[in-house]
Amino acid sequence: MRQLASTLDRIDRKGYGAYKDLSGSHDFEEFTLFVDRVQRDPFAPPSLIRVRTNTNRFDPSLFENPVWRFAFEDFLTREVDGAIRKVVGGNRGTGGSGRVEIQRPSQIVLPRTSMVVDDEYVEARMAVGLPARGRSVDAKAAKDMLLRELPEVVRLSLSPENVDANAAVLHVETIEDAAALRERLPSLGLVAFVADGARLPRESGASDRPLEEGSIPFESPPEMRVSIELPNRDEVSGMGVPEGVSLIVGGGFHGKSTLLDALSVGVYDHVPGDGREFVVSRGDAVKIRAEDGRSVAGVDISAMIGDLPGGKDTSRFSTPNASGSTSQAANISEALEVGASLLLVDEDTSATNFMVRDERMRELVRKEPISPFIELVKPLHEKLSVSTIIVVGGVGDYLDVADRVILMEDYVPSEATERASEAREKFPPRAPTTDGDAEISAPSPRTFRPSSINLRRGKKETARGRGLSDIELGRERVELSYLEQLAEGGQTEAIARVIGKLVSGGKGRSLREAVEEALAEVEADGLGSLGGFRGHPGEMSMPRSHEIAAAMNRIRSLRTDSG
Ligand code: ADP
Ligand code: MG
């Protein structure tokens, strides 16, 4: 610490580059500070530091198994984030001067690189903006930041005396319960579960935080209520959605999409207080939407779409510019390719001509290559064991293919399968609503050609995340804004690096195999194994194989071979 102070004195007012002298480790009383990367100038991306406590004095039961450990790491990340907000003054000069940051956690809990809870120590990985006056070192501000604020942040967030032990226990127990709940789903024949009392609506379209005022708690229809035992709280009751085809119907603005959205992030665990702690869906559930304009590389969509104009082959469909319907078909096929037992579809974000075709259009338009989704949902379940939950407001035809119907009225769900069949009897279709079930088989796997992806950008190779919904691979930007189940920028970063590894690995393999192997490696060796600067891995969080594959599928230069 004294060494650090004297180095700072020595470089005061020198050119900003002199901060390089801070590189390396510095002993503090309670912890070691590692300066892994020093930024080039005050406007460059921040410097990367790690703070490692000399001992881990937290109750070992808080991290006694892998689930508790990552949940506790998530908890401590939030503690550090809170302490930074309390202690750090912020702007101290040019550019990012004075900033102190830890990976900002969302409402979900994921394994992340921000924190390591080891038996011997706790290590927080942060980014700081070393203070500058103009473009020269501001030692006084740097001392205040590194010698006063930083130790205070550590004292408040990483010492057991100052951390609310009950909150920590609640955090890890909640995550363990949610994970257990999700794991129970298959053996109960369920694809999703929404706990009684859950609060689904969000603060706004731009915020994932719970809506505080006027939020109507979820209450299961009695017919669908199940109770499930959990490791920590005795039991949780709520709506179990069985396998098969389920519809969520209801008038506009009655909470249909809100319910479906909660299910689509139900593949992840949520923090206590989120309202969706016990809203879970199968971990391999995939939200399917239309995404016109995306590129598609050799995807078998023949089950959904037949002969296209110009004799385009739909068993190996490629296009730089998919339509609404072909993009949605590709999204389904790609989800099945990686493995999905549940598809979530909202008519709000679907291509109408992909969902249904009515009798008049059947009469008028004979050359229609699309088998609408309505003809697919039953075979998907019966042949491929893939269930579907679909939100429909306007298209009554779906009542004919539904195993059950959930009616949302004023945000309150009721079981309406009976009423739906009465409605069907009262208004039978004048003509068959479908041409019958479509043929479907699992899409044939594709091999990706690593050589089709060029990571070169000038002299360097790049594969990195740019915020939540962009990846930079060499000169290409991969756009991921329609991946609704991508939850954090840290996942995007991890996905970028996994793709980078797969490309440099050079081995052409089936996409699914490649992604699963890469992910298994990351799970075994930790996210940090994806690289970084010296000891600092950067900001990453664990992605799902589905989003990794989805990102690869959106690389415009991607070329694949079948089989
Ligand atoms: P739909 O898809 O049926 O048209 P949405 O799910 O988009 O309706 O919900 C409409 C509005 O109602 C949104 O602003 C949403 O936040 C709000 N909302 C949804 N569920 C609830 C609830 N349980 N309590 C209060 N407001 C809700
Ligand atoms: Mg809606």
Side-chain angles (χ1 to χ4, degrees):
M1 198 168 160
R2 232 178 295 136
Q3 176 79 48
L4 180 61
S6 68
T7 306
L8 284 170
D9 285 335
R10 179 167 53 75
I11 62 173
D12 191 24
R13 292 170 188 251
K14 289 203 179 162
Y16 199 82
Y19 268 130
K20 284 263 183 289
D21 293 357
L22 298 187
S23 298
S25 65
H26 306 276
D27 290 331
F28 283 62
E29 230 162 85
E30 308 271 324
F31 62 89
T32 307
L33 166 67
F34 298 90
V35 179
D36 293 318
R37 191 176 83 150
V38 177
Q39 67 206 99
R40 229 174 301 136
D41 66 74
F43 298 93
S47 304
L48 300 178
I49 64 166
R50 285 171 297 137
V51 164
R52 181 185 289 180
T53 59
N54 296 339
T55 52
N56 179 355
R57 293 184 289 112
F58 286 100
D59 179 354
S61 69
L62 281 168
F63 48 94
E64 66 188 357
N65 66 48
V67 172
W68 281 47
R69 195 181 286 261
F70 92 74
F72 185 53
E73 288 170 345
D74 175 276
F75 179 83
L76 287 181
T77 298
R78 291 167 201 275
E79 290 291 298
V80 171
D81 190 45
I84 289 172
R85 280 161 207 279
K86 234 183 261 164
V87 170
V88 174
N91 196 318
R92 292 172 178 275
T94 352
S97 289
R99 266 169 37 190
V100 179
E101 283 163 4
I102 192 159
Q103 191 175 356
R104 183 168 308 150
S106 64
Q107 291 293 103
I108 67 171
V109 176
L110 286 171
R112 289 198 193 81
T113 48
S114 51
M115 185 74 59
V116 174
V117 172
D118 184 271
D119 294 346
E120 309 294 328
Y121 60 82
V122 175
E123 181 175 291
R125 283 86 176 260
M126 290 185 263
V128 298
L130 293 169
R133 237 176 305 163
R135 287 186 185 269
S136 48
V137 170
D138 182 349
K140 184 162 174 273
K143 273 189 192 168
D144 192 50
M145 181 176 163
L146 296 175
L147 302 177
R148 185 185 63 83
E149 288 181 344
L150 193 62
E152 181 64 2
V153 166
V154 175
R155 194 182 67 80
L156 287 179
S157 56
L158 301 180
S159 328
E161 304 75 64
N162 298 314
V163 170
D164 181 346
N166 292 331
V169 170
L170 176 68
H171 199 86
V172 295
E173 287 191 346
T174 301
I175 301 314
E176 186 180 45
D177 280 347
L181 187 56
R182 188 174 303 104
E183 264 163 39
R184 289 288 313 279
L185 294 176
S187 64
L188 296 167
L190 300 176
V191 289
F193 177 86
V194 185
D196 290 323
R199 288 168 186 273
L200 310 184
R202 299 295 99 188
E203 202 168 63
S204 76
S207 160
D208 202 31
R209 299 174 61 80
L211 174 73
E212 296 294 348
E213 240 164 78
S215 173
I216 314 264
F218 189 86
E219 201 187 322
S220 172
E223 301 90 334
M224 297 181 78
R225 182 170 283 132
V226 290
S227 284
I228 301 177
E229 259 177 59
L230 298 178
N232 299 303
R233 62 198 65 205
D234 293 342
E235 218 179 41
V236 61
S237 75
M239 178 175 85
V241 182
E243 292 166 354
V245 180
S246 305
L247 298 192
I248 301 174
V249 304
F253 223 64
H254 280 259
K256 303 182 299 296
S257 297
T258 303
L259 173 56
L260 195 78
D261 289 346
L263 296 179
S264 82
V265 290
V267 298
Y268 299 119
D269 303 327
H270 291 83
V271 291
D274 174 78
R276 299 169 298 186
E277 294 92 313
F278 301 115
V279 180
V280 297
S281 50
R282 294 271 182 97
D284 61 358
V286 179
K287 176 89 189 280
I288 298 292
R289 58 170 296 159
E291 192 180 343
D292 55 319
R294 65 159 285 195
S295 60
V296 178
V299 177
D300 178 5
I301 54 169
S302 56
M304 294 162 266
I305 299 185
D307 306 325
L308 288 174
K312 234 173 169 353
D313 180 8
T314 54
S315 67
R316 280 189 46 70
F317 177 67
S318 297
T319 177
N321 187 6
S323 64
S325 52
T326 49
S327 64
Q328 199 159 1
N331 286 348
I332 291 178
S333 209
E334 289 166 348
L336 301 181
E337 186 181 14
V338 215
S341 63
L342 173 63
L343 303 180
L344 303 165
V345 181
D346 192 331
E347 71 174 5
D348 287 356
T349 50
S350 292
T352 311
N353 63 334
F354 182 74
M355 297 301 280
V356 280
R357 188 149 44 105
D358 69 16
E359 62 188 277
R360 287 177 175 165
M361 275 301 169
R362 271 169 215 280
E363 182 61 31
L364 179 65
V365 183
R366 294 287 166 90
K367 283 199 162 177
E368 172 54 270
I370 303 172
S371 310
F373 191 55
I374 192 168
E375 294 172 11
L376 284 167
V377 284
K378 276 162 88 86
L380 271 171
H381 179 228
E382 284 155 13
K383 289 231 185 95
L384 302 181
S385 302
V386 178
S387 298
T388 311
I389 302 178
I390 317 167
V391 166
V392 280
V395 191
D397 293 355
Y398 269 88
L399 298 176
D400 291 330
V401 295
D403 295 314
R404 81 204 44 77
V405 180
I406 300 161
L407 172 64
M408 297 297 291
E409 280 173 315
D410 300 320
Y411 315 129
V412 178
S414 57
E415 217 282 356
T417 315
E418 271 305 303
R419 274 179 281 165
S421 49
E422 284 161 23
R424 286 171 52 211
E425 271 163 36
K426 196 160 161 197
F427 300 104
R430 279 167 298 171
T433 47
T434 72
D435 295 331
D437 291 348
E439 281 291 317
I440 190 156
S441 53
S444 47
R446 293 171 299 154
T447 315
F448 82 101
R449 281 187 226 158
S451 61
S452 64
I453 303 164
N454 186 358
L455 300 180
R456 280 218 164 270
R457 186 187 184 87
K459 284 195 189 119
K460 281 194 291 188
E461 299 211 318
T462 58
R464 59 186 178 199
R466 290 274 182 212
L468 174 63
S469 47
D470 267 300
I471 281 179
E472 186 186 295
L473 294 177
R475 301 187 158 278
E476 183 171 344
R477 281 262 176 153
V478 188
E479 227 256 296
L480 306 179
S481 45
Y482 286 128
L483 296 189
E484 295 177 24
Q485 292 169 296
L486 190 60
E488 290 186 5
Q491 289 183 309
T492 315
E493 179 65 38
I495 290 170
R497 295 198 202 174
V498 167
I499 294 176
K501 250 178 97 172
L502 287 175
V503 172
S504 343
K507 216 165 48 158
R509 274 172 300 173
S510 96
L511 200 85
R512 177 177 186 162
E513 248 172 47
V515 167
E516 281 178 354
E517 266 173 43
L519 194 57
E521 243 171 66
V522 173
E523 272 161 8
D525 304 343
L527 280 164
S529 64
L530 291 172
F533 304 94
R534 289 192 218 175
H536 201 301
E539 298 183 354
M540 284 184 280
S541 26
M542 192 63 83
R544 295 195 306 164
S545 58
H546 300 81
E547 277 66 48
I548 302 175
M552 294 184 70
N553 283 322
R554 281 160 184 75
I555 300 172
R556 289 193 172 270
S557 65
L558 179 73
R559 296 292 174 269
T560 61
D561 301 293
S562 51

